[in-house]
């Protein structure tokens, strides 16, 4: 029963995890995952989509649709991510024939004429350059100011949007025994604090270079106990040093996964991290159940045999019967409850 059921429990755990979209490299990583008490996240591409989107239009003197139309047309010749987000927010086919006299000012923005109307789209430097007083945004993100015919028309807020299940994942991790969640990011502190506050992350470190992230993970590793394990979750892109340094490295998204990761999540859903930990804990619980059950029955059978109560049928049950029950119990690991 011991020889068969324990490895079978791990095989079933790995099989159940892969069926749920969680690829685990081996049984030792499944055991480490079950002991995880600290989860460290890379922000961009893990807790956020990693794609800039228009999240609001503020202090506008005209309709939102109209200001987005002017901005998208003025930026229509640019391939910058911010320009792409403006065109996406506009949502209609762009007729570049409507745009003339386009001038891209490096580090400032773009000036152009749209249907003969002068349009300036850019940062506060561009507004100062054309003699227009910009209104500062009260929210965190990349602010694009728009001036039309030399007058301030409002500003567009663009930011990296949170994944819809990120907050739920943080809550569920804490319910599943995670002591502390930590977020690492290269973003400015103001942006990082806002994201951490929205998600309920316990601790955040901002303005970090890739090498700084490794240092922060090493600091966290030094503070925890030997039995407590630390997992790092990243999108797998440029995360190899941190993934390999953590007790267990989790790469999110099969396309961005790295060979340094011990666990690979087949999609970009943060809830998969919760599922992976639940599967690991269930697997370890069943493995220990089989150990205690097999040894316990053997000891009882030996005691009954010593006092002359046990017969051949008890011995067969203690051997073959226990093995079958342990195997059936191990197979339970294959079945994963939906979150």
């Amino acid at each position: 029963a011991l020889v068969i059921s324990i490895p079978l429990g791990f095989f079933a755990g790995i099989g159940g995890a892969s069926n749920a979209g969680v690829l685990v490299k081996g049984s030792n990583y499944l055991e480490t995952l079950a002991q995880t008490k600290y989860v460290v996240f890379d922000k961009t591409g893990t807790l956020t989509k990693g794609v800039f989107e228009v999240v609001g239009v503020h202090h506008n003197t005209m309709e939102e649709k109209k200001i987005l139309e002017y901005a998208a047309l003025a930026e229509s010749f640019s391939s910058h991510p911010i320009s792409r987000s403006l065109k996406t927010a506009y949502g209609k086919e762009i007729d570049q024939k409507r745009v003339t006299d386009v001038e891209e000012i490096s580090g400032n923005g773009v000036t152009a004429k749209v249907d003969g109307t002068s349009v300036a789209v850019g940062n506060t430097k561009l507004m100062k350059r054309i003699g227009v007083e910009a209104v500062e945004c009260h929210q965190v993100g990349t602010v694009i100011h728009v001036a039309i015919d030399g007058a301030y028309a409002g500003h567009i807020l663009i930011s990296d949007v949170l994944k819809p299940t990120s907050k739920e994942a943080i809550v569920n991790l804490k319910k599943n025994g995670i002591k502390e969640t930590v977020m690492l990011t290269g973003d400015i502190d103001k942006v990082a604090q806002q994201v951490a506050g929205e998600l309920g992350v316990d601790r955040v470190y901002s303005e970090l270079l890739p090498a700084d992230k490794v240092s922060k993970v090493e600091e966290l590793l030094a503070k925890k106990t030997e039995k407590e394990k630390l997992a790092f979750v990243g999108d797998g892109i440029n995360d190899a040093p941190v993934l390999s340094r953590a007790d267990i490295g989790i790469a999110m998204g099969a396309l961005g996964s790295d060979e340094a990761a011990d666990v690979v999540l087949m999609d970009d859903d943060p809830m998969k991290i919760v599922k992976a930990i639940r599967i690991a804990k269930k697997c370890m619980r069943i493995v220990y159940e089989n150990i205690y059950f097999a040894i316990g029955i053997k000891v009882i059978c030996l005691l009954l045999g010593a006092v002359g109560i046990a017969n051949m049928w008890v011995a067969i049950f203690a051997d073959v019967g226990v093995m079958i029950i342990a195997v059936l119990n191990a197979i339970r690991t294959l079945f994963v409850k939906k979150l």
Side-chain angles (χ1 to χ4, degrees):
L2 283 170
V3 171
I4 291 175
S5 66
I6 295 169
L8 190 65
F10 282 113
F11 295 155
I14 292 168
S18 62
N19 190 44
V22 179
L23 303 183
V24 185
K25 283 188 177 178
S27 57
N28 54 329
Y29 301 117
L30 208 60
E31 190 173 357
T32 304
L33 196 58
Q35 296 170 343
T36 299
K37 293 294 179 186
Y38 299 88
V39 179
V40 182
F41 294 94
D42 182 39
K43 182 183 82 72
T44 308
T46 305
L47 294 171
T48 64
K49 292 180 180 179
V51 178
F52 284 103
E53 288 183 17
V54 171
V55 292
V57 178
H58 307 135
H59 299 287
N60 44 310
T61 57
M62 60 178 68
E63 287 184 7
E64 284 189 14
K65 288 181 181 178
K66 198 66 182 171
I67 198 168
L68 283 169
E69 182 181 357
Y70 276 123
L73 285 163
E75 292 272 5
S76 62
F77 291 94
S78 175
S79 60
H80 192 277
I82 288 173
S83 303
R84 287 200 296 270
S85 67
L86 290 170
K87 286 179 266 188
T88 302
Y90 174 50
K92 296 178 184 177
E93 193 174 338
I94 290 172
D95 182 8
Q96 292 184 332
K97 290 177 184 176
R98 295 171 60 189
V99 188
T100 57
D101 302 335
V102 179
E103 184 186 357
E104 191 164 345
I105 304 160
S106 181
N108 287 246
V110 173
T111 59
K113 284 192 175 179
V114 178
D115 299 330
T117 303
S118 297
V119 179
V121 182
N123 55 24
T124 50
K125 290 178 185 176
L126 180 66
M127 295 298 109
K128 284 178 183 176
R129 190 185 183 106
I130 62 172
V132 173
E133 189 176 344
V135 179
E136 287 303 316
C137 188
H138 59 282
Q139 293 185 24
V140 177
T142 302
V143 180
I144 307 298
H145 299 281
V146 181
I148 295 168
D149 275 338
Y152 191 72
H155 59 245
I156 301 164
L157 183 68
I158 298 172
S159 69
D160 190 3
V161 180
L162 294 174
K163 288 181 181 177
T165 57
S166 291
K167 188 172 183 177
E168 188 185 354
I170 298 295
V171 171
N172 277 279
L173 281 171
K174 290 177 181 178
K175 284 180 182 176
N176 282 273
I178 300 302
K179 276 188 176 181
E180 189 176 41
T181 52
V182 183
M183 188 180 81
L184 308 180
T185 179
D187 289 353
I188 59 169
D189 190 58
K190 193 177 180 182
V191 173
Q193 293 294 345
Q194 187 193 36
V195 171
E198 286 179 27
L199 294 176
V201 175
D202 297 315
R203 205 186 308 183
V204 60
Y205 297 101
S206 57
E207 299 177 34
L208 301 174
L209 296 170
D212 298 329
K213 291 179 183 179
V214 178
S215 302
K216 289 296 175 189
V217 166
E218 285 177 345
E219 281 179 27
L220 293 165
L221 285 167
K223 289 177 184 177
K224 68 177 184 61
T225 63
E226 186 65 32
K227 287 184 180 179
E228 295 174 333
K229 301 299 179 186
L230 180 143
F232 176 83
V233 188
D235 59 3
I237 301 167
N238 301 322
D239 286 331
V242 204
L243 286 166
S244 56
R245 186 67 192 88
D247 290 321
I248 188 157
I250 303 172
M252 183 178 283
L255 293 175
S257 62
D258 195 286
E259 287 182 8
D262 307 310
V263 177
V264 177
L265 309 179
M266 292 305 290
D267 60 34
D268 294 326
D269 184 1
M271 285 299 287
K272 278 283 195 294
I273 304 158
V274 182
K275 185 167 277 188
I277 291 171
R278 280 189 181 179
I279 291 166
K281 287 189 172 183
K282 182 180 180 180
C283 177
M284 293 309 299
R285 187 174 67 250
I286 287 171
V287 164
Y288 282 114
E289 280 174 8
N290 284 344
I291 291 169
Y292 298 140
F293 178 68
I295 292 172
I297 294 296
K298 296 282 185 186
V299 169
I300 291 166
C301 185
L302 285 168
L303 291 172
L304 290 173
V307 296
I309 298 172
N311 56 24
M312 184 59 71
W313 291 111
V314 174
I316 290 168
F317 172 75
D319 185 31
V320 181
V322 170
M323 181 191 74
I324 292 168
I325 292 168
V327 168
L328 291 172
N329 192 37
I331 290 169
R332 284 174 50 223
T333 319
L334 280 169
F335 306 104
V336 182
K337 286 182 182 178
K338 289 184 179 180
L339 290 171

